[in-house]
């Protein structure tokens, strides 16, 4: 137990280091960019209304003081971490004066639901079918499924998203292709609202599932194909152990250990695919919010989205990493 606690402590320090470096890199990228958010806002205000030079100068001074863009970069960095620890990254330029963290809080459940659902579906289906294909290599259905998996797996997320958009948006318009719920449905705790959310999430989730399951299927099939040739599996077969027991208790259980590790490595890739997919389907998640923030030059919102995303992905990897020694007794928690 003491060894496992030491293992947890080391992984926790690594988690904090990853979050700190990731957020710091995001800060430097946004603040070293030639795009000035204050000038972006002034440009849009000038285009919409005929402001006097005095009003423009006063607005510039107020926004510069509010966002601290006139301070040295090092001072801005320390101020950023001070505000971040308080959970306040300032108002968003995209929806001024709404706080940036409030916008992230509204969008995060959409991305979280889409990411968790699609990841679990691809992980379970891909590994289950891959295990069956590796244990029953002569099954025709699983062979055909493997060919389909190899054909779809290399395709980028956004290509599959565009294909689904064309098919179900123009040729067979039976599913909604934009938004998170119907415009005529009032948000609230009702079956109508829940059904509308489910209906609008089918295509975004399907695009992630179609691309994701191929990698899990092929990886699990290869692992099981190696495990079935091990001595303990051969001995169990000669001893008359049931095939279902061998497949579940001997083969799949041991082959799942590397897949758990692969799950931690794949979370970041799935999240990036979710960001692109949300933009394609105009899904109201963190991906769409991040793209809008970049287009508007909204430093506060970009940092808020990036901070939450980095923390969430790193935290998920941390949890999976902690489960590894518990699932595999051969791994020593040093």
């Amino acid at each position: 137990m003491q060894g496992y606690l030491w293992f947890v402590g080391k992984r926790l320090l690594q988690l904090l280091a990853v979050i700190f470096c990731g957020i710091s890199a995001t800060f430097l990228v946004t603040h070293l960019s030639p795009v000035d958010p204050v000038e972006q806002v002034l440009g849009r205000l000038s285009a919409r209304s005929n402001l006097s030079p005095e009003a423009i100068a006063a607005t510039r001074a107020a926004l510069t003081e509010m966002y601290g863009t006139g301070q040295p970069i090092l001072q801005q960095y320390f101020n950023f971490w001070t505000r971040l620890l308080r959970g306040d990254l300032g108002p968003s330029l995209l929806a001024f004066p709404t706080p940036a963290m409030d916008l992230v809080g509204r969008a995060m459940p959409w991305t979280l639901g889409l990411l968790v659902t699609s990841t679990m579906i691809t992980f379970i289906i891909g590994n289950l079918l891959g295990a069956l294909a590796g244990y029953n290599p002569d099954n025709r259905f699983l062979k055909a499924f493997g060919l389909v998996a190899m054909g779809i797996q290399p395709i980028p997320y956004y290509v599959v998203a565009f294909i689904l958009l064309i098919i179900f948006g123009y040729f067979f318009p039976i599913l909604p292709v934009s938004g998170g719920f119907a415009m005529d449905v009032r948000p609230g705790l009702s079956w109508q609202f829940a059904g509308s959310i489910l209906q609008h999430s089918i295509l975004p989730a399907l695009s992630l599932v179609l691309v994701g399951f191929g990698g899990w299927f092929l990886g699990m099939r290869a692992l099981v194909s190696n495990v079935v040739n091990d001595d303990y599996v051969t001995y169990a077969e000669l001893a008359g152990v049931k095939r279902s027991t061998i497949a579940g208790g001997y083969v799949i259980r041991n082959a799942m250990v590397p897949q758990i590790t692969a799950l931690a490595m794949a979370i970041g890739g799935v999240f990036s695919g979710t960001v692109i997919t949300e933009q394609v389907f105009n899904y109201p998640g963190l991906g769409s919010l991040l793209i809008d923030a970049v287009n508007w030059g909204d430093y506060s919102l970009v940092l808020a989205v990036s901070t939450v995303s980095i923390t969430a992905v790193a935290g998920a990897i941390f949890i999976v990493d902690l489960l590894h020694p518990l699932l595999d007794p051969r791994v020593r928690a040093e």
Side-chain angles (χ1 to χ4, degrees):
M1 185 63 181
Q2 185 177 0
Y4 183 72
L5 293 178
W6 178 246
F7 171 81
V8 173
K10 291 194 297 184
R11 290 298 184 268
L12 182 60
L13 291 177
Q14 292 178 3
L15 170 68
L16 297 177
V18 168
I19 293 175
F20 176 78
C21 294
I23 295 176
S24 298
T26 304
F27 175 87
L28 292 176
V29 169
T30 54
H31 283 71
L32 293 179
S33 169
V35 178
D36 189 342
V38 174
E39 297 301 326
Q40 290 279 97
V41 175
L42 290 176
R44 291 185 176 90
L45 290 177
S46 301
R48 294 177 182 177
S49 58
N50 188 16
L51 296 177
S52 64
E54 293 79 9
I56 293 177
T59 304
R60 178 182 289 108
L63 291 175
T64 300
E65 181 180 0
M66 179 183 299
Y67 290 96
T69 55
Q71 299 175 348
I73 186 67
L74 187 60
Q75 183 63 39
Q76 295 184 47
Y77 179 71
F78 286 123
N79 292 340
F80 163 72
W81 276 105
T82 301
R83 289 186 282 108
L84 179 60
L85 294 177
R86 296 199 308 261
D88 178 21
L89 291 179
S92 167
L93 294 175
L94 182 63
F96 190 86
T98 305
M101 293 303 293
D102 287 358
L103 296 178
V104 172
R106 299 172 191 173
M108 186 165 55
W110 298 94
T111 298
L112 190 62
L114 184 62
L115 177 65
V116 172
T117 302
S118 60
T119 301
M120 293 306 299
I121 291 176
T122 54
F123 184 77
I124 294 174
I125 294 179
N127 282 296
L128 179 60
L129 294 179
L132 295 176
Y135 194 67
N136 303 281
D138 297 327
N139 188 288
R140 294 183 179 180
F141 170 76
L142 295 175
K143 283 184 177 180
F145 196 85
L147 294 175
V148 174
M150 286 189 290
I152 297 179
Q153 193 266 337
I155 303 177
Y157 289 102
Y158 63 88
V159 173
V160 176
F162 278 122
I163 293 175
L164 293 176
L165 184 66
I166 294 173
I167 293 176
F168 292 100
Y170 297 96
F171 295 105
F172 305 100
I174 57 177
L175 291 173
V177 295
S178 179
F181 56 92
M183 297 296 293
D184 58 345
V185 175
R186 184 176 181 179
L189 297 177
S190 64
W191 289 110
Q192 185 181 14
F193 181 61
S196 182
I197 291 177
L198 179 62
Q199 190 176 19
H200 281 73
S201 65
I202 291 177
L203 290 183
L206 184 60
S207 66
L208 296 173
V209 170
L210 288 177
V211 177
F213 85 89
W216 296 117
F217 177 88
L218 298 175
M220 191 64 174
R221 185 178 65 178
L223 290 170
V224 170
S225 298
N226 293 327
V227 172
V228 294
N229 295 321
D230 288 343
D231 293 338
Y232 63 88
V233 176
T234 303
Y235 181 80
E237 292 175 345
L238 293 176
V241 179
K242 294 182 180 179
R243 286 180 59 86
S244 58
T245 302
I246 296 176
Y250 290 78
V251 178
I252 297 179
R253 182 178 179 182
N254 287 281
M256 277 298 297
V257 175
Q259 292 295 80
I260 296 296
T261 304
L263 176 62
M265 300 173 62
I267 290 176
V270 177
F271 178 80
S272 63
T274 304
V275 170
I276 300 175
T277 300
E278 288 179 356
Q279 186 66 13
V280 173
F281 292 102
N282 194 27
Y283 201 71
L286 292 177
S288 299
L289 190 62
L290 179 61
I291 298 299
D292 293 338
V294 171
N295 291 334
W296 273 76
D298 190 343
Y299 282 4
S300 298
L301 191 54
V302 170
L303 287 171
V305 174
S306 301
T307 298
V308 171
S309 303
I310 291 171
T311 304
V313 173
I317 295 175
F318 173 71
I319 294 173
V320 174
D321 200 15
L322 294 186
L323 292 176
H324 194 193
L326 299 178
L327 295 175
D328 186 5
R330 296 171 297 181
V331 177
R332 293 181 59 188
E334 298 181 355

PDB file of all heavy atoms in Angstrom, residues 310-327:
ATOM      1  N   ILE A 310      -6.724  21.574 -20.920  1.00  0.00           N
ATOM      2  CA  ILE A 310      -5.466  20.951 -20.500  1.00  0.00           C
ATOM      3  C   ILE A 310      -5.650  20.233 -19.168  1.00  0.00           C
ATOM      4  O   ILE A 310      -5.187  19.093 -18.984  1.00  0.00           O
ATOM      5  CB  ILE A 310      -4.359  22.015 -20.402  1.00  0.00           C
ATOM      6  CG1 ILE A 310      -4.002  22.533 -21.787  1.00  0.00           C
ATOM      7  CG2 ILE A 310      -3.123  21.453 -19.716  1.00  0.00           C
ATOM      8  CD1 ILE A 310      -3.084  23.736 -21.770  1.00  0.00           C
ATOM      9  N   THR A 311      -6.332  20.876 -18.237  1.00  0.00           N
ATOM     10  CA  THR A 311      -6.548  20.265 -16.927  1.00  0.00           C
ATOM     11  C   THR A 311      -7.407  19.005 -17.030  1.00  0.00           C
ATOM     12  O   THR A 311      -7.116  17.985 -16.382  1.00  0.00           O
ATOM     13  CB  THR A 311      -7.209  21.273 -15.981  1.00  0.00           C
ATOM     14  OG1 THR A 311      -6.410  22.462 -15.907  1.00  0.00           O
ATOM     15  CG2 THR A 311      -7.368  20.696 -14.592  1.00  0.00           C
ATOM     16  N   ALA A 312      -8.467  19.070 -17.842  1.00  0.00           N
ATOM     17  CA  ALA A 312      -9.362  17.920 -17.970  1.00  0.00           C
ATOM     18  C   ALA A 312      -8.668  16.732 -18.621  1.00  0.00           C
ATOM     19  O   ALA A 312      -8.775  15.588 -18.143  1.00  0.00           O
ATOM     20  CB  ALA A 312     -10.601  18.318 -18.770  1.00  0.00           C
ATOM     21  N   VAL A 313      -7.954  16.976 -19.721  1.00  0.00           N
ATOM     22  CA  VAL A 313      -7.268  15.880 -20.419  1.00  0.00           C
ATOM     23  C   VAL A 313      -6.166  15.298 -19.544  1.00  0.00           C
ATOM     24  O   VAL A 313      -6.030  14.068 -19.425  1.00  0.00           O
ATOM     25  CB  VAL A 313      -6.699  16.372 -21.764  1.00  0.00           C
ATOM     26  CG1 VAL A 313      -5.836  15.294 -22.404  1.00  0.00           C
ATOM     27  CG2 VAL A 313      -7.832  16.764 -22.704  1.00  0.00           C
ATOM     28  N   ALA A 314      -5.373  16.158 -18.906  1.00  0.00           N
ATOM     29  CA  ALA A 314      -4.308  15.670 -18.026  1.00  0.00           C
ATOM     30  C   ALA A 314      -4.887  14.903 -16.838  1.00  0.00           C
ATOM     31  O   ALA A 314      -4.327  13.884 -16.409  1.00  0.00           O
ATOM     32  CB  ALA A 314      -3.451  16.835 -17.541  1.00  0.00           C
ATOM     33  N   GLY A 315      -6.007  15.369 -16.290  1.00  0.00           N
ATOM     34  CA  GLY A 315      -6.648  14.669 -15.185  1.00  0.00           C
ATOM     35  C   GLY A 315      -7.164  13.306 -15.587  1.00  0.00           C
ATOM     36  O   GLY A 315      -7.038  12.327 -14.826  1.00  0.00           O
ATOM     37  N   ALA A 316      -7.736  13.205 -16.791  1.00  0.00           N
ATOM     38  CA  ALA A 316      -8.224  11.907 -17.274  1.00  0.00           C
ATOM     39  C   ALA A 316      -7.072  10.929 -17.458  1.00  0.00           C
ATOM     40  O   ALA A 316      -7.172   9.746 -17.096  1.00  0.00           O
ATOM     41  CB  ALA A 316      -8.990  12.097 -18.579  1.00  0.00           C
ATOM     42  N   ILE A 317      -5.967  11.404 -18.017  1.00  0.00           N
ATOM     43  CA  ILE A 317      -4.793  10.550 -18.183  1.00  0.00           C
ATOM     44  C   ILE A 317      -4.246  10.122 -16.823  1.00  0.00           C
ATOM     45  O   ILE A 317      -3.819   8.975 -16.631  1.00  0.00           O
ATOM     46  CB  ILE A 317      -3.720  11.293 -18.997  1.00  0.00           C
ATOM     47  CG1 ILE A 317      -4.239  11.554 -20.420  1.00  0.00           C
ATOM     48  CG2 ILE A 317      -2.426  10.495 -19.042  1.00  0.00           C
ATOM     49  CD1 ILE A 317      -3.301  12.396 -21.258  1.00  0.00           C
ATOM     50  N   PHE A 318      -4.285  11.021 -15.865  1.00  0.00           N
ATOM     51  CA  PHE A 318      -3.822  10.715 -14.509  1.00  0.00           C
ATOM     52  C   PHE A 318      -4.655   9.604 -13.886  1.00  0.00           C
ATOM     53  O   PHE A 318      -4.117   8.674 -13.265  1.00  0.00           O
ATOM     54  CB  PHE A 318      -3.892  11.995 -13.674  1.00  0.00           C
ATOM     55  CG  PHE A 318      -3.613  11.801 -12.211  1.00  0.00           C
ATOM     56  CD1 PHE A 318      -2.332  11.509 -11.769  1.00  0.00           C
ATOM     57  CD2 PHE A 318      -4.625  11.914 -11.267  1.00  0.00           C
ATOM     58  CE1 PHE A 318      -2.068  11.329 -10.412  1.00  0.00           C
ATOM     59  CE2 PHE A 318      -4.376  11.748  -9.920  1.00  0.00           C
ATOM     60  CZ  PHE A 318      -3.088  11.453  -9.494  1.00  0.00           C
ATOM     61  N   ILE A 319      -5.966   9.673 -14.055  1.00  0.00           N
ATOM     62  CA  ILE A 319      -6.842   8.651 -13.490  1.00  0.00           C
ATOM     63  C   ILE A 319      -6.582   7.286 -14.124  1.00  0.00           C
ATOM     64  O   ILE A 319      -6.483   6.256 -13.439  1.00  0.00           O
ATOM     65  CB  ILE A 319      -8.320   9.058 -13.660  1.00  0.00           C
ATOM     66  CG1 ILE A 319      -8.622  10.300 -12.811  1.00  0.00           C
ATOM     67  CG2 ILE A 319      -9.249   7.914 -13.275  1.00  0.00           C
ATOM     68  CD1 ILE A 319      -9.994  10.873 -13.039  1.00  0.00           C
ATOM     69  N   VAL A 320      -6.460   7.271 -15.453  1.00  0.00           N
ATOM     70  CA  VAL A 320      -6.180   6.010 -16.143  1.00  0.00           C
ATOM     71  C   VAL A 320      -4.828   5.454 -15.710  1.00  0.00           C
ATOM     72  O   VAL A 320      -4.662   4.241 -15.520  1.00  0.00           O
ATOM     73  CB  VAL A 320      -6.218   6.226 -17.669  1.00  0.00           C
ATOM     74  CG1 VAL A 320      -5.784   4.962 -18.400  1.00  0.00           C
ATOM     75  CG2 VAL A 320      -7.624   6.612 -18.113  1.00  0.00           C
ATOM     76  N   ASP A 321      -3.856   6.340 -15.533  1.00  0.00           N
ATOM     77  CA  ASP A 321      -2.525   5.915 -15.096  1.00  0.00           C
ATOM     78  C   ASP A 321      -2.570   5.275 -13.711  1.00  0.00           C
ATOM     79  O   ASP A 321      -1.860   4.300 -13.433  1.00  0.00           O
ATOM     80  CB  ASP A 321      -1.589   7.117 -15.091  1.00  0.00           C
ATOM     81  CG  ASP A 321      -0.122   6.699 -15.126  1.00  0.00           C
ATOM     82  OD1 ASP A 321       0.135   5.529 -15.445  1.00  0.00           O
ATOM     83  OD2 ASP A 321       0.744   7.543 -14.860  1.00  0.00           O
ATOM     84  N   LEU A 322      -3.412   5.808 -12.827  1.00  0.00           N
ATOM     85  CA  LEU A 322      -3.524   5.240 -11.483  1.00  0.00           C
ATOM     86  C   LEU A 322      -4.222   3.880 -11.495  1.00  0.00           C
ATOM     87  O   LEU A 322      -3.979   3.043 -10.610  1.00  0.00           O
ATOM     88  CB  LEU A 322      -4.297   6.198 -10.573  1.00  0.00           C
ATOM     89  CG  LEU A 322      -3.639   7.538 -10.254  1.00  0.00           C
ATOM     90  CD1 LEU A 322      -4.464   8.292  -9.233  1.00  0.00           C
ATOM     91  CD2 LEU A 322      -2.216   7.357  -9.751  1.00  0.00           C
ATOM     92  N   LEU A 323      -5.076   3.644 -12.469  1.00  0.00           N
ATOM     93  CA  LEU A 323      -5.782   2.369 -12.545  1.00  0.00           C
ATOM     94  C   LEU A 323      -4.891   1.238 -13.047  1.00  0.00           C
ATOM     95  O   LEU A 323      -5.174   0.059 -12.792  1.00  0.00           O
ATOM     96  CB  LEU A 323      -7.001   2.499 -13.468  1.00  0.00           C
ATOM     97  CG  LEU A 323      -8.153   3.380 -12.970  1.00  0.00           C
ATOM     98  CD1 LEU A 323      -9.228   3.486 -14.034  1.00  0.00           C
ATOM     99  CD2 LEU A 323      -8.734   2.822 -11.677  1.00  0.00           C
ATOM    100  N   HIS A 324      -3.832   1.596 -13.755  1.00  0.00           N
ATOM    101  CA  HIS A 324      -2.995   0.574 -14.373  1.00  0.00           C
ATOM    102  C   HIS A 324      -2.414  -0.418 -13.363  1.00  0.00           C
ATOM    103  O   HIS A 324      -2.541  -1.638 -13.546  1.00  0.00           O
ATOM    104  CB  HIS A 324      -1.879   1.253 -15.179  1.00  0.00           C
ATOM    105  CG  HIS A 324      -1.177   0.315 -16.109  1.00  0.00           C
ATOM    106  ND1 HIS A 324       0.013   0.632 -16.730  1.00  0.00           N
ATOM    107  CD2 HIS A 324      -1.472  -0.936 -16.520  1.00  0.00           C
ATOM    108  CE1 HIS A 324       0.399  -0.381 -17.474  1.00  0.00           C
ATOM    109  NE2 HIS A 324      -0.486  -1.341 -17.371  1.00  0.00           N
ATOM    110  N   PRO A 325      -1.770   0.032 -12.277  1.00  0.00           N
ATOM    111  CA  PRO A 325      -1.242  -0.946 -11.313  1.00  0.00           C
ATOM    112  C   PRO A 325      -2.331  -1.763 -10.626  1.00  0.00           C
ATOM    113  O   PRO A 325      -2.076  -2.900 -10.198  1.00  0.00           O
ATOM    114  CB  PRO A 325      -0.493  -0.068 -10.297  1.00  0.00           C
ATOM    115  CG  PRO A 325      -0.215   1.202 -11.003  1.00  0.00           C
ATOM    116  CD  PRO A 325      -1.390   1.409 -11.916  1.00  0.00           C
ATOM    117  N   LEU A 326      -3.525  -1.214 -10.505  1.00  0.00           N
ATOM    118  CA  LEU A 326      -4.618  -1.936  -9.852  1.00  0.00           C
ATOM    119  C   LEU A 326      -5.170  -3.030 -10.752  1.00  0.00           C
ATOM    120  O   LEU A 326      -5.629  -4.081 -10.284  1.00  0.00           O
ATOM    121  CB  LEU A 326      -5.739  -0.971  -9.469  1.00  0.00           C
ATOM    122  CG  LEU A 326      -5.354   0.139  -8.481  1.00  0.00           C
ATOM    123  CD1 LEU A 326      -6.558   1.053  -8.220  1.00  0.00           C
ATOM    124  CD2 LEU A 326      -4.826  -0.448  -7.178  1.00  0.00           C
ATOM    125  N   LEU A 327      -5.122  -2.799 -12.090  1.00  0.00           N
ATOM    126  CA  LEU A 327      -5.664  -3.780 -13.025  1.00  0.00           C
ATOM    127  C   LEU A 327      -4.642  -4.865 -13.346  1.00  0.00           C
ATOM    128  O   LEU A 327      -5.020  -5.986 -13.673  1.00  0.00           O
ATOM    129  CB  LEU A 327      -6.093  -3.078 -14.316  1.00  0.00           C
ATOM    130  CG  LEU A 327      -7.245  -2.072 -14.177  1.00  0.00           C
ATOM    131  CD1 LEU A 327      -7.480  -1.357 -15.500  1.00  0.00           C
ATOM    132  CD2 LEU A 327      -8.509  -2.763 -13.723  1.00  0.00           C
TER     133      LEU A 327
END
